[in-house]
Amino acid sequence: MISLAAVMAAPLLAGPLNEGLPVWITPLNLLLVAAALALHRSRPSAAALGPLAASAVDWRLLPAAAILCYLAGRREPPAATTLAGLAGVLAFGTAVPLLRGPNLYGWLVWITGVIVLGLLPALIGSFRRLQAELVQAGWDRAAQLEREQRIVADQARLQERARIAQDMHDSLGHELSLVALHAGALELDGTLTGEQRAAASEVRAGVTTAADRLSEIIGLLRDDDTPPRPAGDHIEALVDRAAAAGVPVELTATGDHGDVAPMQYRAAHRVVQEALTNATKHAPAAPVRVLVDRTGDEMTVTVHNGPPPRPPVERVPHGGRGLTGLGERVGLAGGVLRAGPLPDGGFQVVARLPTRPGPVLEAGPDPLPPAGPETARRRARRGLALAVTLPTLLTAGLAGTLMAVYAHDSRTSHLTPERFRELAVGASRDEMAGRLPERQAPEHRDENGPPPPPGSACEYYRSTAGFLPTPFDVYRLCFRDGRLVAKDVLPPSR
């Protein structure tokens, strides 16, 4: 931070003061740089726009504005308030030359400085931010693939255990049934004593109980056996509890959900529960909308949260397994799940579920933009193209404008050397009216020649004209009492 402050303050301490500015402007600008440094983490855009606007008064702030613009682009994406602030900067920079005296060249040069030292660093910083997001998205994708592989392996193991349990049920159940049948035959055998028939009866009863318990345990492991819905565990109650806890959430439910099968309703409940958890974790205080829509034999659950009111100070740690597990739960219920960020900075989860067990729903088109490395890579490419193309086009446009303005000024103030030599001292001003240019050159250069005659009024004209600035002489014509009393050639300063 100290090194950064030193680099930003160096032009103010070493650079020459702009002509016409008071001496106290330097300590005021140093305070402005210090305030911008204090704000550049919490309010990066505001910290950059302040020195950029002040550079219209003191050009020595442009290097500090360039650094702050880069940091602003690096830390946050541009927002509507940032664009409004930039418009305010341009309006302020346009008003300053009008107040200090019209200076079209100075204004155009400042606009060029805003593009080269303001917009270009901000776009480069934005590209670097998108590049970092691309790298992070790649690591997140690799971690997601690793988690998915573990989930697939766990699923295979669970399915195999379920098959083994079913085999055990079929084989042991058959054997236990045979044992119970033989025990029942012994119980009815008249050749046995009463004690033996009572023992056979106990064996039959024990085997029957064991078979029933085995059937119950195996039933819990079967994929198609779903426990009943817990009493009172409704989506409405879940949303009410979240609202009572301070979450700005509202629920809209359409259609009848009373006859939805337990497994499908439980999956919808889990979608809302997981989405509310993620919204409160990653976008606290953002409004959340929950929509549960029943249409025919299909139910759609949509949970959308807006962008967080402000960027989180610290990144919230998360394991990333919630949505993956949620997709498995919805898939087992025969539905499809889509989840991802939205262009406005929010997040949306959409689950389509059948109301009864049956064929798995088709995924259909994804209503959300694709997430992951491809999205980040596309954003990074767009950021690079914008960082290169926009400043280039703006700079080219300003350069063309400067050339056109310069050509117009030089042409309308151009006095050819031949015509200058034809002007005779002593001639009246009226005689020269049609031979002189319509405008005068802004350059006077009186210090490069003899002093004007006392009591005279002088006019200044250029010796050359063109689109590009080139060295030229200034022709000074001094009149007194309506007659030319002196004509001088003022060469360029060396």
Side-chain angles (χ1 to χ4, degrees):
M1 180 68 74
I2 297 177
S3 301
L4 186 62
V7 171
M8 295 170 64
L12 293 171
L13 299 175
L17 186 65
N18 290 12
E19 182 180 355
L21 293 181
V23 178
W24 52 262
I25 201 71
T26 297
L28 183 63
N29 287 336
L30 289 174
L31 290 177
L32 177 62
V33 169
L37 276 176
L39 288 174
H40 83 283
R41 291 186 182 276
S42 59
R43 297 289 185 272
S45 297
L49 291 175
L52 193 63
S55 67
V57 178
D58 190 351
W59 63 267
R60 296 177 300 170
L61 285 169
L62 279 175
I67 296 174
L68 292 168
C69 286
Y70 171 81
L71 294 176
R74 189 74 173 82
R75 287 194 169 93
E76 67 178 7
T81 53
T82 305
L83 298 178
L86 181 59
V89 168
L90 295 177
F92 177 78
T94 303
V96 167
L98 297 177
L99 296 176
R100 299 175 63 182
N103 185 358
L104 181 60
Y105 291 111
W107 181 78
L108 290 174
V109 170
W110 177 76
I111 290 291
T112 304
V114 169
I115 294 174
V116 176
L117 296 176
L119 181 61
L120 181 59
L123 292 174
I124 292 175
S126 181
F127 169 69
R128 291 290 299 161
R129 175 178 51 79
L130 293 173
Q131 196 176 42
E133 290 180 359
L134 174 61
V135 173
Q136 184 61 42
W139 284 111
D140 291 344
R141 178 61 176 165
Q144 180 183 356
L145 290 174
E146 185 178 355
R147 290 193 298 267
E148 289 177 354
Q149 289 176 352
R150 288 199 299 268
I151 290 173
V152 169
D154 291 342
Q155 265 192 331
R157 285 194 295 269
L158 291 174
Q159 289 175 354
E160 186 63 25
R161 290 175 183 177
R163 283 194 293 267
I164 293 172
Q166 185 63 46
D167 293 341
M168 290 175 60
H169 176 269
D170 294 340
S171 60
L172 290 180
H174 177 68
E175 297 297 333
L176 289 175
S177 297
L178 292 178
V179 172
L181 181 62
H182 289 304
L186 290 175
E187 186 180 359
L188 298 175
D189 191 350
T191 62
L192 298 179
T193 65
E195 294 180 356
Q196 290 173 332
R197 288 197 299 270
S201 178
E202 292 179 1
V203 171
R204 182 185 59 78
V207 170
T208 302
T209 302
D212 291 340
R213 291 181 179 177
L214 177 63
S215 180
E216 291 176 1
I217 294 173
I218 299 303
L220 293 176
L221 298 177
R222 290 171 60 91
D223 290 339
D224 58 352
D225 194 1
T226 304
R229 185 189 312 167
D233 193 13
H234 294 282
I235 294 177
E236 292 82 357
L238 176 64
V239 173
D240 290 341
R241 288 196 299 270
V247 180
V249 57
E250 62 179 60
L251 170 67
T252 302
T254 59
D256 183 16
H257 308 128
D259 61 340
V260 178
M263 184 174 185
Q264 281 66 31
Y265 190 90
R266 186 62 183 163
H269 183 277
R270 281 288 296 124
V271 169
V272 177
Q273 185 181 45
E274 182 68 22
L276 287 177
T277 301
N278 288 340
T280 55
K281 183 188 300 182
H282 303 291
V288 183
R289 297 196 306 272
V290 179
L291 173 63
V292 182
D293 179 35
R294 162 75 182 275
T295 304
D297 295 333
E298 185 176 319
M299 180 170 59
T300 302
V301 179
T302 304
V303 183
H304 169 265
N305 64 267
R310 63 185 62 86
V313 178
E314 296 181 359
R315 185 175 180 179
V316 179
H318 60 90
R321 292 185 292 271
L323 289 177
T324 303
L326 195 61
E328 294 296 324
R329 170 66 71 95
V330 173
L332 289 174
V336 290
L337 179 75
R338 293 288 181 267
L342 296 174
D344 64 354
F347 198 89
Q348 182 169 290
V349 178
V350 180
R352 294 173 49 229
L353 291 157
T355 57
R356 309 295 300 173
V360 178
L361 296 178
E362 295 292 334
D366 192 347
L368 302 178
E374 286 301 324
T375 300
R377 192 176 292 110
R378 254 193 316 274
R379 291 175 181 171
R381 285 197 296 266
R382 285 199 299 266
L384 177 61
L386 187 64
V388 173
T389 305
L390 184 59
T392 301
L393 293 177
L394 290 177
T395 303
L398 283 175
T401 303
L402 279 171
M403 292 171 61
V405 171
Y406 183 84
H408 176 266
D409 287 350
S410 62
R411 184 182 61 81
T412 55
S413 62
H414 178 214
L415 179 63
T416 63
E418 294 79 9
R419 182 162 294 182
F420 175 73
R421 287 192 293 268
E422 294 174 358
L423 300 177
V425 175
S428 66
R429 181 65 177 79
D430 295 336
E431 295 175 358
M432 301 179 186
R435 307 170 63 184
L436 296 179
E438 60 186 61
R439 297 177 66 253
Q440 295 188 41
E443 299 86 0
H444 289 181
R445 299 182 191 168
D446 288 327
E447 67 278 3
N448 295 348
S456 63
C458 298
E459 299 178 4
Y460 303 84
Y461 303 97
R462 298 168 52 95
S463 62
T464 61
F467 285 95
L468 298 177
T470 56
F472 61 90
D473 295 329
V474 172
Y475 296 148
R476 184 177 66 185
L477 306 177
C478 296
F479 297 90
R480 185 170 52 205
D481 298 330
R483 293 193 173 273
L484 181 64
V485 295
K487 48 183 289 189
D488 300 293
V489 179
L490 308 179
S493 301
R494 295 184 180 180

